Amino acid sequence: MTTPPRALFDLEGRPDADVKLFVGPTWLLGVEYCCWMATEQGTTVRPIRIGPMTINVRIWVYGTVTLMSVLAVFEGWTDLSRVFGVVLVVVGPMLALVLAHLFAEVLEFQIRAGHAPSAMDWRHMGGQSAQFLLVGLPPLAVFFVLIGLFKASIATSIIIMLYFGVISLGFWGWIAGRRSGYRGWRLIGAALAGFLIGFVVICLQLLLKPH
């Protein structure tokens, strides 16, 4: 039996768990993703980790939807003469989400715990909140590839970045389906649900966009 590297995957100290390869490795969203499944007495411990960081899927989904909304409604693309302007449009909302999420986490911690966060609490909450910045990296990588290698226009690149967001939501739907034990059409349906959410977000933003 092969055991996953401790540096990459944390099975929360369950050496007696039945560990087996779930799926992977797969390159998507700019990170190497490997899923390992540990099952013990009907419970599963399957964190998604990259090095010391545990991936918060909710943050990636919230961040992707927010970024797609910004890309869909922003009307100043023709005024951006430099690539750096596009980077600011992508990074700005993600940085705002980092600050908002961290502030909300601190408030909730103080309300629940009744005391100020410790240094370890700050590191944990800061690390989780900083993942919003990571959400913007894969779309920017796609943008630079399109601009640098394929000489695409900014408008075309933005459209492809939107579709990339739809694909990423479908990816997370597929991961959730695999983790839930779905197979066949149920697994396809889970991925399609992510795609559908992405297209709904784009359509809503375009309908509500001022004309």
Side-chain angles (χ1 to χ4, degrees), residues 169-190:
L169 293 178
F171 167 76
W172 289 119
W174 181 82
I175 289 296
R178 286 297 298 263
R179 290 293 182 99
S180 299
Y182 292 170
R183 296 293 183 271
W185 287 107
R186 296 185 69 189
L187 180 59
I188 294 175

Side-chain angles (χ1 to χ4, degrees), residues 3 22 95 194 202:
T3 304
F22 190 65
L95 182 58
I202 294 177

